[in-house]
Amino acid sequence: MNHSLKEKIENVIGSIHKMNVLDEQGWTSEVRRIFTGDRSFLLKSSYKEKYRTWLKAEAQVLKKLNKNTVISIPEYVGFIKEQHSDHLIMSFEDGMSLTAALTKASSLTEKKSLIRSFGQFLHQFHEKEPLEILVGEGEWLEGQLLKAQNYVENGQTDGDLTLLNHLKTKKPTPVKQTMIHGDCTTDNVFVIDREVQLFIDVAGMTVGDPRYDESLAIRKFWNNPEYLTAFYEGYTRYRVTKEEFHYFNEGLYEFF
Ligand SMILES: Nc1ncnc2c1ncn2[C@@H]1O[C@H](COP(=O)(O)OP(=O)(O)O)[C@@H](O)[C@H]1O
Ligand SMILES: [Mg+2]
């Protein structure tokens, strides 16, 4: 890490004693744990334009939810803009992603219990009265399709125009909008004491279509009836149809 960045970080959290690059890295960023005298922080850095925009959005979400007691997320600490990178500082949480916890779990019972807790955690989140500060402008799906269009035009996505036009004409029948995580894969929920208890990677958190979260939540279990059953023992409010699952998982998610 260059000297000037280190200095800027120290202006926010105080003098740095130690720094580790985490074993578990994300897709869009580089994550490190930083220790000061009395606590530790998570530093998340992004370099590509698209991912810097996401990191900024994540910082804004964390910041506006900082004092809330309704949604379990890391605490916002600071944001540093450099010429070729951006850096988000947040509380370091002791735990691991559900993906990592599932790999580590040694028995089927343990895996199913983790997945059940994921279902429960998401169920409770979707059932909450949406926070006013999370309500975005306009209809969520419409906004996502617009973003997707922009990514296609700028060559920033794997999805193509044929798929996008298909998604525009085949929008699923609307359901009641709820608070959503917006990228709710097993990578982005955190396991603490053997239960899913926290959201991370919250750039997309807003009010939108809960079927998007649900579809991304089960994408790894779609062909595993036992795991699906465990998930739906926790998530009892709704069950996506096959068509809805494909619309969101193979459709919309292609662009993000
Ligand atoms: N607040 C946090 N506390 C501890 N570890 C974290 C925290 N946020 C992220 N991590 C770790 O960093 C990894 C990547 O974080 P994530 O925000 O998902 O990055 P990306 O956007 O690149 O996917 C996670 O899998 C997790 O192990
Ligand atoms: Mg992630």
Side-chain angles (χ1 to χ4, degrees):
M1 174 180 296
N2 70 56
H3 186 71
S4 114
L5 176 59
K6 184 167 178 241
E7 215 168 74
K8 287 178 193 159
I9 295 170
E10 289 187 323
N11 282 339
V12 180
I13 62 174
S15 106
I16 296 174
H17 288 201
K18 198 172 80 170
M19 205 165 359
N20 294 339
V21 173
L22 294 191
D23 291 336
E24 193 179 18
Q25 290 288 318
W27 296 96
T28 71
S29 64
E30 195 176 279
V31 279
R32 298 184 181 95
R33 183 175 185 178
I34 300 184
F35 297 80
T36 58
D38 56 346
R39 65 178 282 199
S40 69
F41 300 88
L42 189 284
L43 177 72
K44 179 170 174 179
S45 307
S46 290
Y47 302 87
K48 275 192 188 167
E49 196 48 46
K50 181 180 181 182
Y51 301 147
R52 290 177 72 177
T53 309
W54 290 2
L55 193 67
K56 241 170 270 168
E58 181 174 359
Q60 272 158 13
V61 171
L62 289 182
K63 205 170 171 177
K64 69 183 171 191
L65 293 176
N66 220 11
K67 290 279 174 288
N68 100 91
T69 50
V70 177
I71 310 172
S72 177
I73 50 172
E75 174 205 342
Y76 173 83
V77 177
F79 189 78
I80 294 162
K81 241 183 116 38
E82 293 229 281
Q83 197 181 355
H84 300 293
S85 55
D86 287 309
H87 309 266
L88 170 60
I89 310 168
M90 65 184 99
S91 56
F92 184 89
E93 305 294 336
D94 245 321
M96 67 184 87
S97 72
L98 176 58
T99 305
L102 285 171
T103 306
K104 220 176 140 202
S106 49
S107 70
L108 182 62
T109 313
E110 200 180 335
K111 287 184 210 278
K112 286 201 290 194
S113 153
L114 285 166
I115 293 168
R116 194 175 302 115
S117 87
F118 182 21
Q120 244 158 25
F121 181 71
L122 194 60
H123 177 100
Q124 282 161 9
F125 179 56
H126 286 166
E127 284 296 302
K128 283 180 176 149
E129 190 57 41
L131 295 176
E132 197 56 47
I133 38 168
L134 276 184
V135 179
E137 272 171 50
E139 206 240 330
W140 174 82
L141 183 54
E142 207 47 58
Q144 292 305 104
L145 292 169
L146 262 177
K147 267 187 215 162
Q149 171 103 29
N150 260 317
Y151 289 149
V152 173
E153 284 166 3
N154 295 305
Q156 290 176 305
T157 171
D158 294 336
D160 61 41
L161 266 185
T162 316
L163 175 59
L164 183 59
N165 288 331
H166 172 80
L167 295 178
K168 283 181 179 170
T169 52
K170 287 272 177 322
K171 284 211 247 169
T173 320
V175 294
K176 182 173 162 247
Q177 306 283 285
T178 69
M179 293 198 283
I180 60 167
H181 175 278
D183 189 10
C184 197
T185 64
T186 54
D187 292 342
N188 292 331
V189 289
F190 226 54
V191 173
I192 299 165
D193 295 335
R194 295 162 188 251
E195 281 183 6
V196 171
Q197 296 202 27
L198 183 95
F199 286 119
I200 59 166
D201 212 354
V202 296
M205 189 172 276
T206 182
V207 172
D209 194 319
R211 292 171 297 186
Y212 189 51
D213 276 357
E214 189 190 334
S215 300
L216 298 196
I218 60 170
R219 70 197 303 260
K220 291 248 186 77
F221 323 133
W222 183 248
N223 290 314
N224 187 326
E226 250 186 306
Y227 286 3
L228 267 191
T229 301
F231 181 84
Y232 284 110
E233 279 163 7
Y235 193 88
T236 55
R237 60 187 300 280
Y238 185 73
R239 195 168 182 139
V240 281
T241 65
K242 204 168 128 209
E243 290 71 29
E244 289 168 337
F245 175 73
H246 290 304
Y247 183 92
F248 289 110
N249 182 54
E250 272 109 58
L252 194 59
Y253 196 50
E254 266 301 293
F255 295 90
F256 293 93

